[in-house]
Amino acid sequence: MQKTARRLAKGAAAGIIALSMVLSGCSSNSNNSAGSGGKEGAAANDPNAPVTFSVFMNGPGQQPTADNKILKKIKDETGVSFNMEFLVGDLQQKLGVMIAGGDYPDIMSGDDKLINAKAFIPLEDLIEEHAPNLKKHYAAVWNQIKDESDGHLYVLPSYGVYQGRITEPTYQGPGFWLQKAVLKEMGYPTPKTLDEYFDIIAKYKEKHPDMIGFETLNFDWRVFPLQNAPEHLSGHPNDGAVVVDNNKAQIFADKEISKTYYKKLNEINAQGLLDKEAFVQNYDQYLAKISSGKVIGMFDQHWNFGDAENSLISQGKIENTYIGFPLLYPGAEEWYRDRGAVGTNRGFGISVNAKDPVRIIKFWDKMITEDWQKVIQWGIKGEDYEVDDKGMFYRTPEQRKNADNTSWQLANKIKTMHGYMPKIQGTYSDGNAADPGTQPQEFYDSLKPYDQEILKAYNKKTWSEFFKEPKENPVYFPAYSIVLKDGSAAQMAQSKLNDLQVKYLPKVIMANPGEFEQTWTEYVNEIHKLDIKAYEDRMNEQIQWRIENWSVK
């Protein structure tokens, strides 16, 4: 799966909930029936009765403290508690075990493999009958968020649904990142090409040989740091394994835009600028290196290494955090930043084993209200934020300091869980931004003097200004969210293509420069043995379907 959990992600994380209560008095077939709405047993008499639901999140994370004040408030006012399980180890292996045994928690983060295994119940009838707030929240994307194979809605998307104004002072998407300390020492350069970017890394590493020059990741589903740069360098948005021109998709792994990039990585590897452990490390090890402050730069989606930056901030190493740059090939038009399409099939769904789907959906319906969103995203008024005489939210220096502290977050926020939850993005009806990070004045005031110095040197006010304003999303966008049916020719071709990239790109990059052409040709020949046409045909068929069915009539 491509970085899509991505963007979305973008960041990372893991959170979750669980709720419900025993359906005493319910008919035996009402437990897992999404559309029945039937009896709710004891919940009908006491909708806030104590209940604990199991939840699985498909990313790593830390358990909130036992006295976490947001979880306590949720329990006190809704009766809901959570038994959270975060991913440990390989995701696909974990999913395989779950599917084989039919051992599902009440709530799970969405995944195509789980959807194809019929591990989730449909949600559209539950929402229509019991969740008016959710229906309103998703109204503009209602057709988009249904599964294309059968028209059912299995997952409540966690990102990409906006209301009011869209503010984005931070940038969570793809880019070529450099440490702020590096940029400051080098006189605040603005690299525009690969050559300029790696020249900065080479010169800085020469002065600081203990640093890691360029880092990357080639692990599990998080292979996009290694695979996706060519599409952006060539002026395309994040569509995953394909680039789309004139509404027609084709893979780019075997194209010249990829060869150019990996030849450059081959060169910088020969120069000793690439981390020697890059292709054998896992995600945690990747984050550990970044959070050590020793990595000069990398290509990645910002949300994917956000936990490492949070660690750096907690350590007081803000100078080792990063700024992204939109590098381009000559003649390409920038398209790194996009409008955050809705994250189809990424969010929470209700499993077929859930004890009380009606109560679960009612809980989510309550959580998407503005009052609860402000609690989840801003915190408690008077403790975590203040309100000025114009009704605008802000934080004191002490409150901002707390928000940057990982230990404080575990006791006072549900940050990881929030990453998987339905959420308001944009602005509330009172004009405040959905979260502190996107409140313009709060964002500026929250910056450390060091960051203000960096932005002033570049004559910018926000980190997003290093990238051009996003274009309008094509109707089909993003192509990476197109579902490939398990076992289909398209899915097998895409899977084998990814496997080839995971296997061969390290070989291509680490080859002796004199053997690059031979190794690249061998790699491309292996790609051409696959049924790439089946994959591209499926992508193009669905792109046309989306244009026909998602376009505003």
Side-chain angles (χ1 to χ4, degrees):
M1 145 169 114
Q2 291 279 3
K3 65 233 155 159
T4 71
R6 313 166 232 16
R7 305 168 172 304
L8 292 186
K10 74 141 132 248
I16 298 9
I17 57 192
L19 25 127
S20 191
M21 59 176 294
V22 179
L23 293 176
S24 55
C26 288
S27 59
S28 62
N29 66 352
S30 65
N31 284 358
N32 297 330
S33 175
S36 69
K39 302 175 183 178
E40 294 180 63
N45 299 320
D46 184 0
N48 295 326
V51 63
T52 299
F53 264 66
S54 54
V55 185
F56 170 70
M57 294 149 286
N58 62 6
Q62 288 182 274
Q63 292 284 349
T65 60
D67 61 348
N68 179 283
K69 73 180 181 186
I70 304 300
L71 293 178
K72 183 179 184 301
K73 181 177 177 65
I74 290 174
K75 182 178 180 179
D76 288 346
E77 298 187 24
T78 71
V80 173
S81 298
F82 318 110
N83 182 4
M84 307 179 191
E85 179 186 0
F86 302 92
L87 176 67
V88 177
D90 181 76
L91 175 62
Q92 295 307 312
Q93 182 179 7
K94 172 64 176 178
L95 295 179
V97 171
M98 291 171 65
I99 292 169
D103 184 17
Y104 305 122
D106 302 297
I107 299 168
M108 303 184 291
S109 49
D111 183 275
D112 295 338
K113 193 166 186 175
L114 290 172
I115 292 172
N116 292 335
K118 305 298 182 183
F120 293 104
I121 64 171
L123 301 178
E124 63 272 13
D125 290 345
L126 276 173
I127 292 172
E128 293 280 4
E129 185 171 356
H130 299 289
N133 297 315
L134 285 174
K135 182 61 188 294
K136 180 180 178 181
H137 178 68
Y138 291 115
V141 293
W142 190 248
N143 289 332
Q144 295 183 35
I145 63 178
K146 292 181 179 179
D147 189 73
E148 294 174 7
S149 65
D150 60 15
H152 285 304
L153 172 59
Y154 294 109
V155 173
L156 301 173
S158 52
Y159 286 98
V161 182
Y162 295 87
Q163 68 177 43
R165 294 177 294 107
I166 299 176
T167 57
E168 189 187 41
T170 56
Y171 172 69
Q172 296 297 340
F176 283 85
W177 302 85
L178 287 170
Q179 269 196 25
K180 294 167 185 172
V182 174
L183 295 166
K184 182 176 181 178
E185 183 172 325
M186 300 295 287
Y188 303 109
T190 302
K192 298 182 182 300
T193 66
L194 283 174
D195 287 343
E196 292 171 355
Y197 176 81
F198 285 114
D199 185 56
I200 292 169
I201 290 178
K203 289 179 178 177
Y204 190 84
K205 184 168 171 59
E206 185 177 3
K207 294 181 180 180
H208 306 272
D210 60 324
M211 296 287 285
I212 296 171
F214 188 72
E215 190 60 86
T216 191
L217 183 64
N218 189 38
F219 176 76
D220 199 16
W221 61 270
R222 300 177 192 266
V223 292
F224 46 91
L226 181 61
Q227 295 182 11
N228 285 20
E231 64 185 333
H232 301 295
L233 286 162
S234 59
H236 294 88
N238 179 11
D239 274 313
V242 298
V243 292
V244 184
D245 292 301
N246 298 318
N247 295 331
K248 185 174 182 180
Q250 61 178 344
I251 67 166
F252 60 88
D254 59 341
K255 303 297 188 294
E256 195 67 24
I257 60 173
S258 292
K259 181 180 180 181
T260 299
Y261 179 62
Y262 297 117
K263 185 173 184 179
K264 186 64 182 180
L265 293 192
N266 176 269
E267 293 173 3
I268 67 119
N269 178 65
Q271 296 168 21
L273 300 181
L274 180 68
D275 179 20
K276 297 183 183 301
E277 299 175 345
F279 301 124
V280 295
Q281 66 188 348
N282 63 29
Y283 181 55
D284 289 339
Q285 292 167 329
Y286 172 75
L287 291 182
K289 287 180 181 176
I290 295 173
S291 61
S292 74
K294 294 293 186 179
V295 175
I296 298 174
M298 61 274 176
F299 172 86
D300 200 353
Q301 302 237 8
H302 196 186
W303 62 264
N304 193 47
F305 65 92
D307 285 350
E309 280 206 320
N310 291 337
S311 174
L312 287 166
I313 292 169
S314 294
Q315 296 172 59
K317 297 180 178 179
I318 192 171
E319 71 277 6
N320 297 131
T321 59
Y322 294 82
I323 294 176
F325 294 91
L327 306 185
L328 293 169
Y329 291 145
E333 183 179 350
E334 181 185 333
W335 201 342
Y336 278 71
R337 192 174 165 195
D338 59 54
R339 293 183 178 272
V342 61
T344 309
N345 290 344
R346 298 295 176 262
F348 280 133
I350 302 174
S351 86
V352 294
N353 295 347
K355 292 180 283 296
D356 191 344
V358 172
R359 180 148 180 213
I360 293 174
I361 208 69
K362 284 185 173 183
F363 173 82
W364 290 126
D365 195 59
K366 184 175 291 186
M367 291 297 103
I368 201 61
T369 60
E370 287 198 357
D371 286 347
W372 271 107
Q373 286 292 299
K374 289 175 181 177
V375 169
I376 293 167
Q377 302 205 54
W378 279 89
I380 305 299
K381 178 182 175 182
E383 296 181 22
D384 306 320
Y385 73 97
E386 311 296 334
V387 183
D388 67 19
D389 56 6
K390 295 181 181 179
M392 301 308 292
F393 297 176
Y394 70 96
R395 296 183 297 189
T396 66
E398 181 179 0
Q399 288 167 344
R400 294 186 197 112
K401 183 178 180 181
N402 285 338
D404 286 340
N405 184 283
T406 302
S407 297
W408 182 91
Q409 291 171 7
L410 293 175
N412 297 274
K413 300 285 285 183
I414 51 171
K415 186 174 181 179
T416 318
M417 178 169 108
H418 176 246
Y420 294 88
M421 294 173 61
K423 63 179 60 63
I424 291 175
Q425 293 178 267
T427 53
Y428 298 118
S429 57
D430 60 12
N432 282 292
D435 65 276
T438 56
Q439 186 90 319
Q441 188 61 46
E442 172 59 29
F443 173 78
Y444 181 80
D445 291 343
S446 70
L447 294 176
K448 303 291 192 298
Y450 185 92
D451 276 348
Q452 292 177 345
E453 174 190 350
I454 295 286
L455 285 172
K456 184 177 180 180
Y458 280 103
N459 193 31
K460 300 183 188 302
K461 293 293 185 181
T462 70
W463 307 120
S464 291
E465 291 177 34
F466 285 85
F467 297 80
K468 285 186 178 180
E469 288 288 324
K471 303 177 185 180
E472 290 289 341
N473 288 341
V475 174
Y476 61 81
F477 184 82
Y480 66 68
S481 65
I482 290 173
V483 175
L484 307 177
K485 298 178 182 178
D486 276 354
S488 67
Q491 186 272 330
M492 289 189 290
Q494 191 276 335
S495 178
K496 291 177 181 178
L497 173 62
N498 182 71
D499 291 345
L500 276 178
Q501 291 177 278
V502 169
K503 175 183 177 181
Y504 266 92
L505 288 179
K507 291 183 179 181
V508 167
I509 293 166
M510 293 188 296
N512 183 295
E515 299 173 352
F516 173 83
E517 291 291 340
Q518 177 184 339
T519 310
W520 178 261
T521 299
E522 178 184 340
Y523 165 56
V524 170
N525 287 341
E526 290 298 314
I527 292 177
H528 292 170
K529 293 178 183 178
L530 305 178
D531 190 3
I532 295 300
K533 185 177 185 301
Y535 172 54
E536 292 179 339
D537 284 350
R538 168 65 178 174
M539 298 297 285
N540 284 308
E541 168 194 306
Q542 288 301 295
I543 285 172
Q544 294 306 313
W545 185 92
R546 289 181 174 188
I547 292 172
E548 174 63 26
N549 290 276
W550 290 1
S551 297
V552 177
K553 303 300 182 180

